[in-house]
Amino acid sequence: MAERVGRLLVSSKLLTEDQLQKALMTQKKEGGRFGKVLIQLGFIDEIQIARFFSRQWGVPLVDLTKIDIDPLVIKLIPADMIRKHLVLPIKRLGTTVSLAMIDPTDVFAIEDIKFITGYNVEPIIATETALFEKIEKYYGKAPTALAEKNGKAAAAANITNRSSSLETIGRTTNGHAIEELVSGPDDTATEADEMPLTTIADLDAVVGDALDAVSVIEEQRDDSEVREVEAPIVKLVNGILVNAIKVGASDVHVEPFETMFRIRFRIDGVLKNMMNLPVKIKNAVTSRLKIMSRLDIAERRLPQDGRIRLKFGKTRQIDFRVSTIPCLAGEKVVLRILDKGALSLDLTTLGFEKQALEDFQEAIASPYGMVLVTGPTGSGKTTTLYSALSTVNTDQVNIMTAEDPIEYNLLGVNQVQMKDEIGLNFASALRSFLRQDPDIIMVGEIRDYETAEIAVKAALTGHLVLSTLHTNDAPSTVNRLLNMGIEPFLVASSVVMILAQRLTRKICVRCKAVDPISPETLLRAGFTEEEVEAGIVVYKGTGCEVCSHTGYKGRVALYEIMPIREELRELILQGASSDELKRESVNRGMKTLRMSGLQKIKEGVTTLEEVLESTFLN
């Protein structure tokens, strides 16, 4: 190889025959790369040899002294691999990383980088001096001994380390150790946890590679025993998670069927089909997700729950709550995305009308009593409760919460995770809380008589209790507590407010347009004749790139707030029905969920269709 390169240099008049023979003898005696020997003997400078190699092999030449490299690109390849092969990533475009090298024919280095990152490699020539300076700048001082390796040593090293490189494939993607990205015993995230953002388009090229990788595995062992999958699968799974965050999804559904493998995102409360993957990779993808969430990948008969914690950039940390369940064609995996960075804990931004907000703020400022938030799963109850806790969270109060699961960590709030398998349930946690000198208690959900009884007693003994129930509206919550076995006088004395809520999609402001709706339709929806005659302008979204042509972007809450004042307490003590409680509350100024929705329509926030789907006419 050295002699062939030397002959080419001689024919290009960059080297004489005598210089070539002397360089070959020196290399044979002292070792080292042939190009470095030529430079040390003073026969040629490194710029000349770099330009020669660039012309000879048709590889671009880069002046590293004139470029700055994105820190995310630097993190693509581990430092030990950089020093081992004397390479440097300088940019990434799609699924290709540009790699600055001294020797672009070093196939062992190129293959190793491909294996480690899962990216295609575009070799680019750089001078040795500039390359060393950049490596020292971004990765620390490189050992001199590494620069002395020759072609044979490189080949031997690659053969020796091939098995270790293969072991690394299952644990790394884009140069980041998944071990560090997965939540560990201390759930600590570091700067090494950062992951670059990719796009859905970037994943298309990976699917074929992932399919090939799984084919190789299946030839070697039974599919059920696949524990660590190849780099394309790792990259595919990470890309799915990252893209779910980028498009603002709240949930990711990974669904295997006999003839297809579907990935769906829930965006603004509506499921959307994002990808149809080859059925062949369904078990590999599921195994990867279970590995990341520390679940038992050998157990496919029972449901399992886990958690993944990733860090994006230097400050953004995102949790994925993972649930698996065995279905006919394999295990379905659902991931709930808990993005604290996207969590708004400001009550004024949640969608409260002015009077409703004042009533709610008054209730959570009470020294004692119970505030109940009701609604179906996914209606935003947790966000409302966390916002309330954030409002009252000061150094002067002791706040304790019992949650299952804990969705977000709140600074200054003592949060307790329920564990039914060891007897730590809401009731037992509440008993313990009362011995912890609490001022404010939050119970994730009142599910049974025992929990309800302790919560009521806590509210009557000087504590503010916040909790949730699953009911259709605020008035029916009273009957739900009575049906659990709580005495009417206890309900009337302890509950200070009941809040029911729903989430509706907001109109995309980019493509917002007037929606011509007949007066008859508006009247049937609940608007009064006076409002219709005065002229109500209803809007809709026509669809654009910003909202993915849905016409909606984001969600807003509808609230039904029922303060329990003296008149309602009397009705509760008399055993009044839900309808009677609703009529009395509306007469005293309560806006029902439908009324709240109609107000949002008049304000141009949401559409008539959304309000009709999420609320009932009173």
Side-chain angles (χ1 to χ4, degrees), residues 27-43:
Q27 185 196 34
K28 186 176 181 180
K29 182 178 179 181
E30 299 178 4
R33 290 185 303 102
F34 183 62
K36 188 174 181 66
V37 171
L38 291 175
I39 294 169
Q40 288 175 340
L41 291 174
F43 295 158

Side-chain angles (χ1 to χ4, degrees), residues 67-69 131-141:
I67 65 172
D68 289 320
I69 305 173
L131 187 60
F132 264 95
E133 288 176 355
K134 289 292 184 180
I135 290 175
E136 289 181 5
K137 176 181 178 180
Y138 293 109
Y139 296 93
K141 189 171 179 60

Side-chain angles (χ1 to χ4, degrees), residues 302-569:
L302 298 172
Q304 298 186 68
D305 295 305
R307 202 177 186 101
I308 301 170
R309 174 167 292 178
L310 303 182
K311 184 177 179 184
F312 297 84
K314 294 188 178 297
T315 58
R316 191 179 181 190
Q317 184 172 295
I318 299 171
D319 287 359
F320 296 82
R321 199 173 73 209
V322 184
S323 173
T324 71
I325 191 166
C327 295
L328 182 63
E331 287 181 285
K332 176 178 178 178
V333 184
V334 175
L335 302 96
R336 167 65 57 87
I337 300 174
L338 307 173
D339 184 0
K340 190 173 183 178
L343 178 67
S344 173
L345 298 182
D346 184 357
L347 286 174
T348 61
T349 64
L350 297 183
F352 284 99
E353 281 84 31
K354 182 180 179 181
Q355 186 58 50
L357 178 59
E358 291 176 0
D359 290 341
F360 186 62
Q361 289 175 327
E362 180 184 347
I364 62 177
S366 303
Y368 58 87
M370 185 184 297
V371 176
L372 296 174
V373 181
T374 75
T377 301
S379 61
K381 299 189 298 295
T382 299
T383 300
T384 300
L385 284 177
Y386 278 0
S387 298
L389 290 179
S390 179
T391 301
V392 299
N393 183 16
T394 66
D395 293 338
Q396 288 74 44
V397 296
N398 176 23
I399 303 176
M400 305 199 71
T401 72
E403 303 176 60
D404 186 21
I406 296 173
E407 296 196 1
Y408 298 97
N409 296 330
L410 301 178
L411 184 64
V413 177
N414 304 286
Q415 297 172 272
V416 180
Q417 170 68 53
M418 299 298 95
K419 298 178 181 178
D420 287 332
E421 63 273 15
I422 61 173
L424 180 58
N425 53 31
F426 288 121
S428 62
L430 270 175
R431 290 194 193 94
S432 299
F433 285 0
L434 296 176
R435 296 190 288 271
Q436 290 282 319
D437 185 32
D439 296 294
I440 300 172
I441 297 172
M442 188 189 93
V443 185
E445 182 183 348
I446 294 178
R447 301 172 178 170
D448 51 41
Y449 168 75
E450 187 178 15
T451 306
E453 181 188 33
I454 301 170
V456 166
K457 288 181 179 178
L460 291 173
T461 54
H463 306 91
L464 178 64
V465 179
L466 309 178
S467 190
T468 70
L469 276 172
H470 287 281
T471 58
N472 291 327
D473 56 14
S476 61
T477 304
V478 173
N479 285 344
R480 174 78 175 118
L481 289 172
L482 296 177
N483 291 338
M484 282 184 179
I486 305 300
E487 294 292 338
F489 74 91
L490 290 176
V491 175
S493 303
S494 62
V495 180
V496 297
M497 172 172 284
I498 302 173
L499 179 153
Q501 68 180 79
R502 297 290 188 277
L503 288 178
T504 61
R505 292 183 290 175
K506 295 167 64 176
I507 301 172
C508 174
V509 295
R510 178 75 175 274
C511 58
K512 187 175 179 180
V514 175
D515 186 10
I517 295 180
S518 67
E520 293 77 13
T521 302
L522 295 176
L523 288 171
R524 286 199 300 270
F527 287 107
T528 64
E529 291 185 3
E530 292 80 6
E531 288 175 322
V532 174
E533 289 175 359
I536 297 174
V537 181
V538 181
Y539 295 91
K540 66 178 180 179
T542 58
C544 63
E545 292 182 0
V546 173
C547 60
S548 300
H549 301 283
T550 63
Y552 297 98
K553 187 70 174 178
R555 288 191 289 178
V556 67
L558 308 181
Y559 290 104
E560 177 179 287
I561 290 186
M562 188 175 80
I564 307 299
R565 308 199 193 280
E566 193 61 38
E567 299 79 6
L568 286 183
R569 289 194 177 95

Side-chain angles (χ1 to χ4, degrees), residues 55-112:
R55 291 193 304 269
Q56 186 66 33
W57 290 309
V59 177
L61 173 64
V62 64
D63 185 354
L64 292 179
T65 62
K66 295 182 179 180
I67 65 172
D68 289 320
I69 305 173
D70 189 330
L72 290 179
V73 174
I74 289 297
K75 292 177 181 292
L76 290 176
I77 304 174
D80 59 344
M81 195 60 61
I82 291 292
R83 296 191 179 101
K84 173 183 175 182
H85 292 299
L86 294 180
V87 296
L88 183 73
I90 57 176
K91 69 175 180 179
R92 182 185 72 84
L93 183 62
T95 58
T96 301
V97 60
S98 298
L99 197 66
M101 313 173 65
I102 301 170
D103 180 6
T105 65
D106 189 347
V107 293
F108 297 103
I110 293 173
E111 287 302 312
D112 262 0

Side-chain angles (χ1 to χ4, degrees), residues 42-56:
F43 295 158
I44 194 171
D45 63 47
E46 58 180 355
I47 295 295
Q48 287 178 309
I49 199 167
R51 286 174 178 166
F52 168 77
F53 283 142
S54 176
R55 291 193 304 269
Q56 186 66 33

Side-chain angles (χ1 to χ4, degrees), residues 114-118 169-170 172-173 213 229-236:
K114 281 184 179 180
F115 272 116
I116 290 298
T117 65
I169 290 169
T172 62
T173 179
V229 293
E230 299 289 345
I233 291 291
V234 175
K235 183 181 173 186
L236 175 63

